[in-house]
Amino acid sequence: MALEIIELCTNCWACQPLCPSKAIYEAKPHFLIDPDKCNECSGDFEDSQCASICPIEGAILNADGEPMNPPGSLTNIPLQKLAA
Amino acid sequence: MNHLPEHIRQKVFNHPCYSEEAHHYFARMHVAVAPACNIQCNYCNRKYDCANESRPGVVSELHHPVQAVKKVLAVAATIPQMTVLGIAGPGDPLANPERTFETFRMLSEQAPDIKLCVSTNGLSLPEQVEQLSQYNIDHVTITINCVDPDVGAQIYPWIFWKNKRIKGREAAEILIAQQQKGLEMLVAKGILVKVNSVMIPGVNDKHLEEVSKIVKAKGAFLHNVMPLISEAEHGTFYGLTGQRGPTNEELQALQDACEGDMNMMRHCRQCRADAVGLLGEDRGSEFTMDKVEQMEINYPEAMKMRAEVHAAINEELESKRLAKESKVQLVSIQGLQKKETTRPVLMAVATKGGGVINEHFGHAGEFLIYEASSDGVRFIGHRKTTPYCEGDISCGDGESVLDKTLKVLAGCEAVLCSKVGYEPWGPLEAAGIQPNGEHAMEPIEDAVLKVYEEMRVAGKLEAKADEQQKVA
Ligand code: SF4
Ligand code: SF4
Ligand code: SF4
C-alpha cells in the first residue's frame, strides 16, 4: 500500500523531510513517492505525514487513486468557485 | 524614529524596513530559500509565494542556500547600499530551518557587514529562538493577525502541528499561543521584533487595535498593518469568496487608531520578497542566477568600499536628524507664540529617494503621503499607482491611468513633484488636488511645511474645515 504524488504537486518540499520511510524524493517535473518504500506511515504515525502537510488539494492520491485531500477540503473554497 | 529608545534607534538606524529615514538611502534584499509552509492563510494561494511578505501572485525562483549566498554577495558588492538580507519564503523560513539557517551561517561567515532578518508565521518560532539567537539574527518579523481564536478560525483553515493536520478554532488557538510565546522569548533574548498584521475588513479590522496593544505591551518595537490584497485571479479563499481589502482611508484610520505611542511602520510598500535594491525600486532582473554565476566577486574588497559608502550615508542621516531636532524646537517656540490650531492637510509627494522631491508626476509609480498640521509634518504611508506616463507606449492609455492616480490620491489636497505636465494639471485641480512643481529637489518635509504655510496664509485652512463639518 502506497500513496502517490501526481502532477498537481507544486514542489513545495513540505512533505519530503517528514517521511519516516524516506520514500519521497525530488524529481522532475514534481516530487515522487517510491511505492516500494512508502508504508503509509503505518507504525510511525497515525496519519500519513505527506498528506497531512501537503497544501495542494488533489496532489497526493491514496492506494485507490482517490485524492487524500479532495477539492475544498483544505482551503474551504466552495466547489462552484473552484470550478470557475 | 526620534521617540524610540536610543539603543533601539541605533539598531534600526540603517535598516531600510524599519527606519523611515533610512529607507530613502539603504536597501534590503530577500532571497527565496524556504519553500515549505506549515499553515494555510486564507489570503494565500500556495501555488505562489508566501503572501505575508510578498504581493500575492508572485512566484520566486527558489535558490539553494549556496546559490542564495552567491547572489547576496553579488548584489552587496554592486549595490553598497544593500545592508539587510531577509529570508521570507516562498514559504515559512522557520518551517525550513535547515535551509534558512545554512544561508544565515554562510553569510555571517562571508559577509559579516550584512544584517540578517527573518519573517515567520510564528508556528515553529518558539523552538527556533535559541538557534536564531546563536546566528546573531537580530530582526524577526512575526505576522500576527489576531489574538482571539474565533477570529483566527476565519483566517487560518489549518495548521500542521505535532504530525497532524489540525483545523478550525483549535488550529488558530495553537498558532496564536505559539506566536505570543515566540514574541515573548525573542524579546527576552533582546532580539528586535516587528509585528505585521493583515487588515481584513469585517474579520479582524476592529480586533487589530487590541492586537496592537498586546504586542506593544510584550515588547514588539514596530507594528505594521498591511492591507489585504484579494483579487479573484489569485485563487485564494478570500479572493474567490469576494472578501474585499480595506480602502486607503480605512487603512489609515486603523493605523492612526493603533499608533498610540508605538511606532507604526508607515513606509512599508509590501515589497516583493525577492526584491533587490532600494525599497520599492526593483532591480531583481540585474541579478538573475545565470547573471550572478558569471560574476567574479571579491567580497573582502567590496566590504571596504561598502564601509566607506555607509559611513558617508550615516553622516548625512545624522546631520539631517540633528537639523531636524533643532528645527522641531524652533517650530514649537513659534507655535507657542501663535497659539493657532489649523486643520490637518494630506499631501502627496513624488520622490525617487534621498528624502527630496525629485520625481515627475507622470513617472511616479507611487506617492508618499504626508500630513501637515499645526503640530508639524508626519509621514502617513505609501500609495501605489501606475505611472501616468511610462513614455510613448502607454501614453495612449493615459486617461484611465490618470483616473486611477486621482483615486489613489483621494483625500490629498496637494501633490508635490519635481514637474507636473500640462495635461494632468486640470483634472488634478478639478479633483481638489493642487499640483505643485515649485519645490523640486527640496527636502520633503520642508516643502510640505512651506505649502501648508502658503495654504494658511491664503486662508485655505479654515474654509475647508467648515465644509468638512457640514459634510459630517
Ligand atoms: S504516506 Fe508516509 S511513508 Fe508514505 S510517502 Fe507519505 S510520509 Fe512517506
Ligand atoms: S507537500 Fe504536496 S505540493 Fe508540496 S512537494 Fe509534497 S506533494 Fe508536492
Ligand atoms: S504563512 Fe505565508 S506561505 Fe504560509 S500560508 Fe500563510 S501566507 Fe501562505
Side-chain angles (χ1 to χ4, degrees):
Chain A
M1 299 294 270
L3 303 193
E4 184 190 357
I5 296 175
I6 63 168
E7 71 286 349
L8 289 170
C9 165
T10 58
N11 297 310
C12 81
W13 287 85
C15 56
Q16 189 261 356
L18 294 179
C19 175
S21 322
K22 305 224 175 313
I24 305 175
Y25 58 97
E26 191 186 3
K28 291 263 147 74
H30 57 78
F31 278 77
L32 291 171
I33 293 173
D34 182 340
D36 296 333
K37 287 192 185 161
C38 170
N39 60 359
E40 300 193 2
C41 291
S42 66
D44 293 301
F45 298 102
E46 237 173 89
D47 302 331
S48 305
Q49 292 302 287
C50 55
S52 298
I53 198 168
C54 180
I56 305 296
E57 293 161 351
I60 302 182
L61 305 181
N62 66 18
D64 296 329
E66 292 154 353
M68 295 291 291
N69 299 299
S73 64
L74 301 182
T75 55
N76 294 335
I77 298 172
L79 289 182
Q80 67 272 24
K81 304 265 182 194
L82 271 178
Chain B
M1 278 322 260
N2 293 325
H3 54 281
L4 289 175
E6 183 62 21
H7 70 283
I8 294 187
R9 206 180 63 78
Q10 280 307 333
K11 250 186 165 174
V12 300
F13 196 52
N14 62 351
H15 191 303
C17 296
Y18 295 151
S19 149
E20 197 180 312
E21 282 88 9
H23 93 280
H24 293 299
Y25 298 88
F26 289 107
R28 61 84 192 81
M29 71 178 285
H30 287 97
V31 285
V33 298
C37 185
N38 46 13
I39 71 171
Q40 177 69 55
C41 305
N42 276 336
Y43 45 76
C44 180
N45 179 344
R46 295 287 299 283
K47 294 178 181 127
Y48 305 121
D49 287 1
C50 174
N52 281 338
E53 289 295 315
S54 349
R55 300 183 71 81
V58 173
V59 184
S60 305
E61 185 190 4
L62 180 68
H63 294 315
H64 185 272
V66 173
Q67 286 180 309
V69 168
K70 227 175 161 175
K71 181 165 171 169
V72 173
L73 296 184
V75 172
T78 318
I79 307 178
Q81 291 87 344
M82 199 286 272
T83 51
V84 183
L85 183 273
I87 294 185
D92 187 78
L94 298 185
N96 300 258
E98 290 85 15
R99 296 173 71 103
T100 297
F101 288 125
E102 196 189 341
T103 309
F104 282 154
R105 184 184 51 76
M106 285 188 280
L107 278 175
S108 335
E109 285 165 15
Q110 295 175 41
D113 65 336
I114 295 177
K115 296 178 194 212
L116 305 172
C117 65
V118 63
S119 47
T120 176
N121 61 40
L123 182 62
S124 54
L125 179 56
E127 62 199 73
Q128 308 292 355
V129 167
E130 190 54 44
Q131 204 173 2
L132 277 168
S133 64
Q134 279 170 20
Y135 285 115
N136 197 19
I137 292 157
D138 56 3
H139 303 97
V140 176
T141 305
I142 317 174
T143 301
I144 298 181
N145 295 321
C146 55
V147 288
D148 175 346
D150 289 318
V151 176
Q154 301 170 58
I155 303 173
Y156 306 104
W158 59 264
I159 65 169
F160 180 79
W161 178 247
K162 297 205 165 87
N163 302 99
K164 279 185 176 309
R165 194 185 318 259
I166 297 180
K167 297 187 176 176
R169 193 180 187 281
E170 191 192 349
E173 209 167 343
I174 296 167
L175 178 62
I176 290 166
Q178 289 290 100
Q179 290 171 336
Q180 295 299 321
K181 187 170 165 200
L183 167 60
E184 288 160 20
M185 291 171 71
L186 286 171
V187 171
K189 285 251 180 211
I191 299 176
L192 285 183
V193 186
K194 177 185 104 189
V195 171
N196 271 354
S197 300
V198 180
M199 176 183 183
I200 312 161
V203 175
N204 71 348
D205 47 346
K206 306 251 154 49
H207 181 59
L208 282 181
E209 279 180 53
E210 191 190 341
V211 171
S212 199
K213 274 193 208 109
I214 290 175
V215 300
K216 173 169 87 177
K218 291 197 176 165
F221 85 104
L222 262 180
H223 182 209
N224 170 33
V225 178
M226 317 188 289
L228 170 71
I229 302 174
S230 59
E231 308 295 330
E233 67 260 32
H234 297 143
T236 63
F237 173 82
Y238 284 149
L240 290 172
T241 55
Q243 168 67 50
R244 69 169 180 96
T247 62
N248 281 330
E249 287 80 9
E250 286 170 334
L251 180 66
Q252 192 182 321
L254 177 63
Q255 287 175 334
D256 283 342
C258 292
E259 192 152 57
D261 55 344
M262 188 196 205
N263 198 3
M264 290 278 302
M265 196 171 78
R266 298 292 181 100
H267 55 273
C268 173
R269 293 148 145 111
Q270 285 206 318
C271 44
R272 281 179 45 174
D274 64 343
V276 167
L278 284 178
L279 274 171
E281 176 195 320
D282 199 340
R283 290 179 64 178
S285 59
E286 287 172 46
F287 300 99
T288 54
M289 214 49 230
D290 45 328
K291 286 185 190 157
V292 167
E293 296 286 359
Q294 304 296 316
M295 296 182 192
E296 284 287 336
I297 306 294
N298 178 345
Y299 201 77
E301 268 310 304
M303 214 151 86
K304 285 184 207 147
M305 177 269 291
R306 287 168 53 80
E308 283 166 25
V309 174
H310 295 171
I313 297 177
N314 281 331
E315 214 170 279
E316 192 180 332
L317 277 174
E318 187 60 22
S319 68
K320 277 204 178 176
R321 192 175 68 87
L322 292 176
K324 207 168 161 187
E325 266 171 15
S326 57
K327 218 185 300 168
V328 167
Q329 280 167 359
L330 205 75
V331 169
S332 52
I333 293 168
Q334 285 173 346
L336 272 180
Q337 288 165 346
K338 270 195 239 147
K339 274 197 175 163
E340 187 186 352
T341 330
T342 41
R343 70 183 177 87
V345 168
L346 290 184
M347 298 188 205
V349 170
T351 175
K352 284 191 260 210
V356 296
I357 297 169
N358 57 0
E359 180 69 295
H360 287 204
F361 175 76
H363 297 171
E366 66 174 0
F367 292 91
L368 274 58
I369 310 296
Y370 285 81
E371 184 193 76
S373 70
S374 28
D375 298 332
V377 178
R378 70 181 182 126
F379 179 70
I380 296 290
H382 294 264
R383 296 189 191 168
K384 279 190 185 287
T385 183
T386 310
Y388 168 61
C389 179
E390 294 263 33
D392 314 329
I393 316 150
S394 62
C395 271
D397 201 23
E399 233 184 300
S400 59
V401 175
L402 180 58
D403 285 347
K404 192 179 158 201
T405 304
L406 289 176
K407 226 184 272 163
V408 164
L409 297 181
C412 299
E413 293 175 45
V415 56
L416 280 56
C417 358
S418 61
K419 231 183 199 166
V420 190
Y422 173 72
E423 237 181 284
W425 196 279
L428 276 168
E429 276 188 336
I433 306 164
Q434 182 58 47
N436 187 322
E438 287 160 30
H439 299 281
M441 296 316 293
E442 288 180 26
I444 293 170
E445 299 192 354
D446 293 0
V448 169
L449 261 188
K450 274 189 215 162
V451 174
Y452 189 67
E453 180 60 17
E454 284 163 23
M455 290 177 77
R456 190 186 67 79
V457 171
K460 286 184 185 160
L461 296 186
E462 301 97 46
K464 191 107 182 226
D466 295 345
E467 254 171 61
Q468 271 182 344
Q469 271 164 7
K470 258 183 260 160
V471 175

